[in-house]
Amino acid sequence: MKSLELVNIRKVYGDAVAVSDMNMTISQGELVSLLGPSGCGKTTTLRMVAGFIAPTAGSVLINGTDVTHLAPYDRNTALVFQSYALFPHMTVAQNVAFGLEMRKVGRAEREAQSLEALKRVRLDHLSDRYPRQLSGGQQQRVALARGLVLNPAVFLLDEPLSNLEAKLRGEVRSEIRSLQQSLELTTLMVTHDQEEALTMSDRLVLMEAGGVRQAGTAQDLYERPADAFVADFVGRSNVIEGGAEEAGFRTACGTLLPPAASGEAGARFYAIRPEKISIVRDGEGVEGALREILYLGAQTEYTVMLGQTPVTVIAATPGPDDALAGMRSGEAVRLRWSSADARLLNA
Ligand SMILES: Nc1ncnc2c1ncn2[C@@H]1O[C@H](COP(=O)(O)OP(=O)(O)O)[C@@H](O)[C@H]1O
Ligand SMILES: [Mg+2]
């Protein structure tokens, strides 16, 4: 059964289209991320699901029921914001119980359910504290508990990790994902962070300018990007402009090996991931000049100029006896890749 369905959903502000005719379904227990650059319509979409924004056209269905015209409290969704939005004058337990109180759940039941939700996020020992007495990560877990306690049909998360520092972000990320999986929560998460989306989601919906560019699993988007925008937004990609010819793909930096898979007819871009390119000192390959070496610890990132075109290569940092040890900026190098890893894309 489909738990959440958006049918031709659209939102227009004056003459600006924030979301244009979007279609999407999420199955029971699935986590789907809405990913895309700032301003592409992610929050607007999420808030139309929650009921805080009325769509200009289209409908929202939850478990098969049309909820487009229902108030937020009648939709059985729970929304968690990046800013946590906890009530400062209420304790942790009171914050978590608040939604149940609104639903007229009796006191004893409220307390039992809130405690249960707090246990799930491992904060039951802090139930008498006030939000200001908690760390950012703890506050975000209270916000999660406040959503979980409602046992929502659809759980909505708007950039839930973006206020947390890097290390905490990783922890809360795993916590959200394992809760979501163990409770089989149908979840729609908004993020602009591709790593977050790739690691947490069953499926991703990549948006741009109010529309869907591509939807699929992390592997679909990473390995089979539909266009140059997707290739560049999901992971990193070298995207080189040119045109396909009999002999290969002609670019300002020479004719490149044609991709094994036939791309779109008339494709104008050649895409190759940085980690799919090997850099060598001599032998076969496209000639270039090494411009920059960025040591990243386990990996090293190289910028190689093919004529005027910079190409990024990411490779394991060479050991002292490695052929690549002691490379210097300015050196002539050659780049090689397999035609199986290259793709032809449109803009
Ligand atoms: N209340 C509003 N009035 C007018 N324009 C809005 C309003 N809310 C959002 N927008 C516009 O709609 C577009 C999508 O916004 P939003 O959904 O917040 O993007 P995202 O969450 O992807 O960053 C943006 O161009 C934004 O400026
Ligand atoms: Mg947003």
Side-chain angles (χ1 to χ4, degrees):
M1 177 169 202
K2 288 177 177 103
S3 266
L4 174 67
E5 221 173 326
L6 303 189
V7 185
N8 293 326
I9 202 105
R10 182 177 181 81
K11 182 66 191 180
V12 176
Y13 291 106
D15 50 12
V17 182
V19 174
S20 69
D21 308 312
M22 167 129 171
N23 288 285
M24 184 173 96
T25 59
I26 306 186
S27 305
Q28 165 60 41
E30 218 185 2
L31 189 156
V32 172
S33 288
L34 282 182
L35 174 68
S38 178
C40 71
K42 306 181 297 293
T43 294
T44 304
T45 303
L46 196 80
R47 295 179 76 85
M48 287 195 282
V49 175
F52 295 112
I53 295 178
T56 310
S59 32
V60 178
L61 282 78
I62 293 178
N63 291 335
T65 305
D66 190 331
V67 299
T68 318
H69 303 290
L70 293 186
Y73 295 110
D74 295 327
R75 293 190 176 205
N76 200 11
T77 59
L79 175 58
V80 176
F81 308 90
Q82 94 183 62
S83 58
Y84 324 137
L86 300 179
F87 301 116
H89 59 286
M90 289 186 187
T91 64
V92 164
Q94 288 166 343
N95 263 283
V96 175
F98 182 77
L100 296 175
E101 206 174 331
M102 292 292 99
R103 292 183 179 189
K104 311 264 187 271
V105 175
R107 187 192 181 104
E109 185 63 15
R110 247 166 31 218
E111 284 176 359
Q113 290 183 22
S114 305
L115 186 64
E116 185 59 30
L118 281 169
K119 277 188 182 152
R120 291 208 186 278
V121 297
R122 298 174 293 110
L123 282 182
D124 44 309
H125 60 297
L126 299 180
S127 63
D128 293 330
R129 292 233 187 139
Y130 286 88
R132 66 172 180 279
Q133 298 171 309
L134 302 178
S135 70
Q138 290 169 334
Q139 289 186 44
Q140 186 55 310
R141 278 150 59 200
V142 175
L144 287 172
R146 198 170 53 171
L148 291 177
V149 80
L150 299 174
N151 189 25
V154 181
F155 201 41
L156 303 168
L157 304 166
D158 193 351
E159 308 257 5
L161 306 171
S162 54
N163 273 353
L164 302 175
E165 73 210 53
K167 189 171 172 294
L168 256 180
R169 210 177 295 151
E171 273 171 37
V172 180
R173 177 157 88 190
S174 323
E175 185 153 9
I176 291 178
R177 180 60 163 159
S178 72
L179 274 172
Q180 180 269 329
Q181 287 180 319
S182 64
L183 300 174
E184 297 180 13
L185 283 169
T186 304
T187 304
L188 179 59
M189 180 177 88
V190 158
T191 179
H192 66 275
D193 183 320
Q194 50 127 339
E195 190 185 312
E196 217 167 281
L198 288 173
T199 54
M200 291 177 74
S201 324
D202 295 303
R203 281 188 303 126
L204 295 89
V205 174
L206 179 57
M207 293 182 71
E208 199 234 356
V212 175
R213 277 302 189 105
Q214 191 174 358
T217 62
Q219 286 80 3
D220 288 336
L221 270 65
Y222 192 79
E223 282 157 29
R224 292 172 291 281
D227 58 34
F229 175 82
V230 181
D232 198 40
F233 199 87
V234 181
R236 293 172 66 183
S237 206
N238 293 293
V239 177
I240 305 168
E241 201 170 350
E245 287 183 352
E246 196 91 340
F249 190 80
R250 191 183 185 83
T251 71
C253 50
T255 299
L256 305 178
L257 195 66
S262 58
E264 292 177 63
R268 289 185 36 237
F269 297 95
Y270 188 96
I272 177 83
R273 301 266 179 210
E275 74 276 14
K276 301 292 190 188
I277 305 178
S278 32
I279 182 166
V280 289
R281 281 191 151 130
D282 38 41
E284 284 184 7
V286 186
E287 266 188 72
L290 182 57
R291 187 167 74 179
E292 201 181 6
I293 305 169
L294 268 181
Y295 173 73
L296 303 172
Q299 291 184 318
T300 296
E301 180 179 321
Y302 305 88
T303 305
V304 175
M305 299 305 292
L306 300 183
Q308 300 299 309
T309 309
V311 170
T312 303
V313 180
I314 296 177
T317 295
D321 301 328
D322 207 295
L324 291 185
M327 293 251 279
R328 287 197 203 302
S329 158
E331 241 185 86
V333 292
R334 284 168 186 271
L335 301 184
R336 289 182 199 160
W337 58 88
S338 153
S339 62
D341 293 324
R343 297 186 64 82
L344 289 187
L345 300 170
N346 277 311

